[in-house]
Amino acid sequence: FCSANNLLSHGEVSKIGGALQQRAQLPTTERGSAEELLKTASQKRKDGAFAEAGVSYAHAAAVEGISEEVAKQARGGAVEMMRAQQRFNEAAHQFLEGNWTSTLEHTREVLGIVSGCTNSTLLLMQARSNQQIGRWADVVQIT
């Protein structure tokens, strides 16, 4: 019934909802050198864990004795991840409301901030939104 009417099944909605709730949890405190924290932040950024990446960037900026250039890079990364997380949250809200065009706008903004992002929830929201508005070529391209 769900697929015949282009509706999300209960399992799909639960899966996306669970992923969104998991992303909303607060990250833990990290320790290490600024270089280690920046490397960790970069990987989290690529994986689409924007809030966690932002925390890693903030911790890297707080390491004592780092160069001004590294501190500036870390602070910039933290701000960028806050913006990405904010756009991701708005995309998720619009997706859950069924506002497909708005979801696509916000997912594109996130991907503009974090190119090469592999966040599966973000990509699934983008693919499903394209499907709902009939952009089948874009669905195939994303998946």
Side-chain angles (χ1 to χ4, degrees), residues 30-41 56-57 59-64 66 70:
E30 297 175 88
R31 297 178 192 258
S33 70
E35 293 77 21
E36 291 170 343
L37 290 168
L38 287 173
K39 185 177 178 181
T40 299
S56 294
Y57 280 122
H59 287 161
V63 172
E64 292 185 28
I66 61 172
V70 172

Side-chain angles (χ1 to χ4, degrees), residues 19-20 23 44-51 84-85 88 107 110-111 114 116-126 142:
L20 294 175
R23 292 254 182 240
K44 289 178 180 179
R45 170 192 175 115
K46 183 179 182 247
D47 294 341
F50 309 123
Q85 184 65 47
F88 178 85
T107 57
V110 173
L111 293 172
V114 187
C117 175
T118 59
N119 182 312
S120 60
T121 304
L122 179 72
L123 297 175
L124 285 170
M125 286 191 305
Q126 190 176 31
I142 292 168

Side-chain angles (χ1 to χ4, degrees), residues 3-142:
S3 61
N5 292 300
N6 287 329
L7 300 173
L8 291 172
S9 69
H10 176 70
E12 290 172 318
V13 171
S14 296
K15 184 176 179 180
I16 292 171
L20 294 175
Q21 288 177 347
Q22 183 179 15
R23 292 254 182 240
Q25 295 176 358
L26 295 176
T28 59
T29 302
E30 297 175 88
R31 297 178 192 258
S33 70
E35 293 77 21
E36 291 170 343
L37 290 168
L38 287 173
K39 185 177 178 181
T40 299
S42 178
Q43 184 59 48
K44 289 178 180 179
R45 170 192 175 115
K46 183 179 182 247
D47 294 341
F50 309 123
E52 294 173 17
V55 169
S56 294
Y57 280 122
H59 287 161
V63 172
E64 292 185 28
I66 61 172
S67 70
E68 183 58 36
E69 182 179 327
V70 172
K72 184 177 180 180
Q73 177 189 1
R75 286 191 303 268
V79 170
E80 197 171 59
M81 291 302 95
M82 286 190 297
R83 284 184 30 229
Q85 184 65 47
Q86 182 182 28
R87 297 298 186 266
F88 178 85
N89 290 346
E90 187 58 34
H93 173 74
Q94 294 300 319
F95 180 83
L96 293 173
E97 293 292 319
N99 298 326
W100 313 118
T101 304
S102 184
T103 299
L104 287 172
E105 290 172 11
H106 291 293
T107 57
R108 284 188 200 110
E109 288 177 17
V110 173
L111 293 172
I113 296 168
V114 187
S115 61
C117 175
T118 59
N119 182 312
S120 60
T121 304
L122 179 72
L123 297 175
L124 285 170
M125 286 191 305
Q126 190 176 31
R128 183 63 177 173
S129 296
N130 277 312
Q131 179 186 16
Q132 287 297 109
I133 60 176
R135 293 183 184 163
W136 293 99
D138 291 334
V139 173
V140 173
Q141 181 181 8
I142 292 168

